[in-house]
Amino acid sequence: VIVSATILPSEVRDLEAPLAAKGVHLIDTPVSGGKSGAENGTLILMTAAKPAVLAEFRPVLEAISQKIFHVGDEVGMGQTVKGALQALIGATFTAIFEALVLGVKAGAKAETLYEVIGATGVGSPLFKNCAKLIMERRFKGTGSQITTIYKDLSITMAMAKENGVPMFTTSAAFELFRAGLSLFPDEDNWSVIKLLEQIAGTEVKQQS
């Protein structure tokens, strides 16, 4: 059984004993890469499994992935790494939203912000894709539903509580996505920026 969903580490660990009792191997391997990564077979896998099990089933994983990281022998470690990753992704999204709204409200063109930020050290593919969709006002059908990141950040925050780790930035991002989910339940991650735009009285969009 290969679990590629993002769930709580405890949830995937609960599967291990019942499956082992039936002689069934379990591979814990959440993914990153979104809709395009799934469609193109270029997902990043965070895989936890016994080395021999991973070796046997690696061809199956390679069929959908660009890179496989063996993050541990113990089931649950894949979900642990994914939970940490989602903290950074969620906080990065909300920082992008705030930076764009601030710049446009203060008089800068959205295109200028896109070009300048995109040329710096934080000008990642995540930033460029996110900012482009915002400027084009595309908030639905882009393959990154707000329900998914909200669920993922819920897992991250549960991990933080379990391990006694303060998450100041991630908790702020989580609350922004919670608000966005209430307002735009059928839309995608970037729709959260509309809440900030409404508060600031501005809109991040292409001028031409």
Side-chain angles (χ1 to χ4, degrees), residues 26-206:
L26 176 61
I27 297 178
D28 167 29
T29 182
V31 306
S32 183
K35 183 173 182 287
S36 62
E39 291 174 344
N40 298 318
T42 57
L43 293 169
I44 304 299
L45 307 189
M46 292 145 268
T47 307
K50 294 180 177 63
V53 175
L54 175 57
E56 182 177 354
F57 295 97
R58 179 175 284 271
V60 177
L61 302 178
E62 287 176 341
I64 62 166
S65 67
Q66 177 183 20
K67 183 84 174 176
I68 301 171
F69 289 96
H70 185 209
V71 299
D73 297 353
E74 295 180 6
V75 165
M77 197 50 58
Q79 302 298 337
T80 299
V81 173
K82 179 66 183 286
L85 171 64
Q86 291 306 95
L88 180 57
I89 289 177
T92 300
F93 273 136
T94 52
I96 290 169
F97 304 154
E98 291 183 351
L100 293 174
V101 170
L102 173 63
V104 169
K105 177 66 175 183
K109 292 181 179 179
E111 291 92 338
T112 301
L113 295 168
Y114 178 83
E115 291 172 5
V116 173
I117 296 173
T120 70
V122 294
S124 63
L126 185 150
F127 165 76
K128 292 175 181 176
N129 180 61
C130 177
K132 186 173 186 292
L133 290 167
I134 289 168
M135 291 193 298
E136 294 174 352
R137 313 306 290 176
R138 292 173 55 197
F139 299 114
K140 293 187 75 172
T142 63
S144 295
Q145 266 207 319
I146 194 171
T147 50
T148 301
I149 194 164
Y150 178 74
K151 180 265 296 181
D152 289 354
L153 288 175
S154 298
I155 291 169
T156 299
M157 296 307 294
M159 282 176 51
K161 181 179 180 180
E162 181 182 346
N163 290 280
V165 178
M167 304 290 282
F168 299 105
T169 306
T170 307
S171 62
F174 178 60
E175 292 302 330
L176 264 174
F177 278 109
R178 191 203 300 268
L181 181 62
S182 297
L183 292 169
F184 316 110
D186 299 321
E187 298 190 15
D188 295 341
N189 297 341
W190 2 104
S191 64
V192 173
I193 200 171
K194 292 189 286 185
L195 169 61
L196 300 177
E197 290 173 336
Q198 182 179 349
I199 295 170
T202 191
E203 189 174 81
V204 178
K205 63 181 179 181
Q206 292 176 334

